[in-house]
Structure formats: C-alpha cells, structure tokens
Amino acid sequence: MHNFSASDLKTILHSKRANLYYLEHCRVLVNGGRVEYVTDQGKNSLYWNIPIANTTSLLLGTGTSITQAAMHELGKAGVLVGFCGGGGTPLYSANEVEVEVAWFAPQSEYRPTEYLQDWVRFWFDDGLRLEAAKAFQRARLGRIAEHWCGHRQLADSGFEVPHEALRSTLERSRRLLLESAPLDYAACSRRTASSSFSASVRASTGVLSL
C-alpha cells in the first residue's frame, strides 16, 4: 500500500478542495491514523471520518475539543482550523496554512468603536489627511531603503538592485517631503481635540518601519 507523505496531502489546491466542516458537541482525534470526530449517542460513541486531504477548513464550535495529534495531522494536510461560537460566529481564533509554527491569534469581531473613531477622525479634514499620507510615505521610504539596499538574500539569489539609482530616488523623495511643512503632532492633537490622530500616526509608522 502506498504511504502518503505530508506533501502528498497538500497536492489538492485549496480552491479545488470540496469540504468545509463546522462541528459542535464532539471530540476531534486521531483513530487508526485517520482524523475523526466522535459524537455520543446514548452509551455509544459514533466515529466519523474527516477526509483531511480534501478539506479546506475546520471550524470548531460549542462543546468541541481537539487533540494535539489531530492538530498535527491537520497541519500536515494544510487544513485551516478555527475556533468559533455557536452557529459559526464569532470567529475566536484561526491559524494560517504553510507555517512551521502556528500561533492562534485573536480574531474576535467585537472591537471598541473608539479604534475606528480615532482613525477616521482626521479623514474629513483635508490638511490632517495630507499629513497622514506624508507620515506613511516617510515610513515607506525608510522601509524601502532598509530592505532593498544591501539585502544579502537578494544578492545571493542573483537579483541585482541598482543601489545608487535607488538611493538617489529615495533621497529625492525625502527632500520633497522635507520641503513641505513637517507633521506637527501637537497641532494635530489640538485640531482633533485629542491626541488620537498623533498616536495613530505614530503607531502606523512604527509598524511600517519594523
């Protein structure tokens, strides 16, 4: 009998896979090398097979549990696994496919409305919106210089970047930004009656420069 490897299980593209499972009140485990979910009917336990090679997603709802061995097999087959509430919503956490280590990030749909309010507060002010765009552009220029100039992996792959031309273009763009008025965080805070705009821009540029 042919033994399937982890790479064999991923030969079916996700766009071609047929199954998406949403489970409630059951246990997901490995039984005889197969991923199955177990339901209790009276004193009997019923085992149902999950064809992981042809499954794209598995949502675990109310009253479910899953073993480490089952997660191992699902990960090898490239199946997305998510934890959610009853009826499939809200989505609490989910993992990505094709990662060596899967960290479950919070995916709760419930967020304080203040986050959205702080971000869009300056949208209807033409001056503040322009300053936000300049802040993003400055961060973008720094990121380009960091990752394209002197990038060893690109050089090892034979991808040659014209460093002088790139640096000249970046410097010209920086001068154009410097010729305009710098971003005044204090003024922006006064115009928005809070420091939410400046905090949002600082947070954005900090993320972009990582």
Side-chain angles (χ1 to χ4, degrees):
M1 180 180 294
H2 176 67
N3 293 323
F4 289 96
S5 64
S7 59
D8 294 330
L9 295 174
K10 297 177 183 178
T11 55
I12 302 178
L13 298 176
H14 273 265
S15 59
K16 303 298 182 182
R17 297 189 182 189
N19 301 316
L20 185 154
Y21 283 87
Y22 168 70
L23 302 177
E24 287 186 346
H25 305 292
C26 66
R27 291 168 289 140
V28 182
L29 46 79
V30 175
N31 182 30
R34 300 181 303 179
V35 178
E36 299 178 342
Y37 65 94
V38 185
T39 59
D40 295 326
Q41 186 173 358
K43 296 182 179 180
N44 298 322
S45 296
L46 304 179
Y47 290 78
W48 307 88
N49 180 55
I50 300 176
I52 58 177
N54 199 26
T55 297
T56 179
S57 302
L58 175 64
L59 284 175
L60 301 177
T62 306
T64 58
S65 64
I66 188 169
T67 65
Q68 187 271 349
M71 284 298 300
H72 178 69
E73 295 299 324
L74 291 167
K76 289 197 301 182
V79 179
L80 287 86
V81 179
F83 292 90
C84 59
T89 184
L91 179 64
Y92 297 136
S93 65
N95 67 334
E96 298 180 357
V97 183
E98 304 291 348
V99 291
E100 296 298 329
V101 179
W103 296 96
F104 285 86
Q107 297 291 330
S108 175
E109 298 174 1
Y110 301 103
R111 294 283 193 268
T113 56
E114 289 82 0
Y115 293 167
L116 178 61
Q117 292 170 357
D118 289 346
W119 270 100
V120 302
R121 191 184 303 274
F122 61 86
W123 179 255
F124 300 101
D125 186 307
D126 291 340
L128 293 180
R129 191 165 69 249
L130 178 61
E131 293 300 337
K134 292 178 181 178
F136 277 108
Q137 185 64 17
R138 281 190 285 269
R140 185 177 294 112
L141 293 174
R143 187 180 179 90
I144 292 174
E146 177 183 356
H147 292 280
W148 285 87
C149 296
H151 196 284
R152 185 166 55 184
Q153 291 183 347
L154 291 177
D156 294 342
S157 300
F159 190 86
E160 296 294 334
V161 178
H163 294 160
E164 295 303 323
L166 180 59
R167 289 193 179 95
S168 175
T169 302
L170 294 176
E171 185 60 31
R172 185 165 60 251
S173 298
R174 288 194 185 95
R175 286 198 300 268
L176 291 175
L177 288 173
L178 291 174
E179 289 173 1
S180 60
L183 181 60
D184 188 343
Y185 292 107
C188 291
S189 298
R190 289 194 298 271
R191 291 172 67 180
T192 57
S194 71
S195 61
S196 57
F197 170 76
S198 56
S200 299
V201 173
R202 287 193 185 100
S204 303
T205 54
V207 170
L208 289 174
S209 62
L210 290 178

